[in-house]
Amino acid sequence: MSTIRNAVDSVRRTASTATTHVVEAATVLLVGLGLAGWSLFWSRVGRMHYAQGDLVSAAFTTTVFVLPAIGAFVWYVATSLDVDTGPTEIDVNVIGG
């Protein structure tokens, strides 16, 4: 009886691990596709403003809607890969000589 219970527990752990990996991959894919769609839509709107000669609206659209989405995607990928996203500190004494 104990052998069967151990085999069932092993199968459950394997299925749980596989399901977790599939869900994580699907989440990353959906977030990436969502942010890409958002960026493409708003960049197209910005290009439309630019084509009409409205440079202020084109710059505003790009700055407010496109760049934050790209930044969010980079941040999400970096945190998914456990990359340290802290600010870089430069020692000015080393550079100054």
Side-chain angles (χ1 to χ4, degrees), residues 10-79:
S10 175
V11 169
R12 284 183 183 164
R13 279 192 300 271
T14 303
S16 175
T17 302
T19 303
T20 301
H21 289 303
V22 168
V23 168
E24 288 175 359
T27 302
V28 170
L29 181 66
L30 288 176
V31 168
L33 288 174
L35 287 172
W38 175 272
S39 296
L40 289 173
F41 172 78
W42 286 108
S43 65
R44 187 75 174 145
V45 171
R47 277 187 251 149
M48 185 177 62
H49 287 301
Y50 182 77
Q52 294 173 353
D54 189 3
L55 299 180
V56 173
S57 294
F60 177 80
T61 301
T62 303
T63 304
V64 173
F65 295 111
V66 177
L67 295 179
I70 293 170
F73 179 71
V74 170
W75 174 82
Y76 185 79
V77 169
T79 56

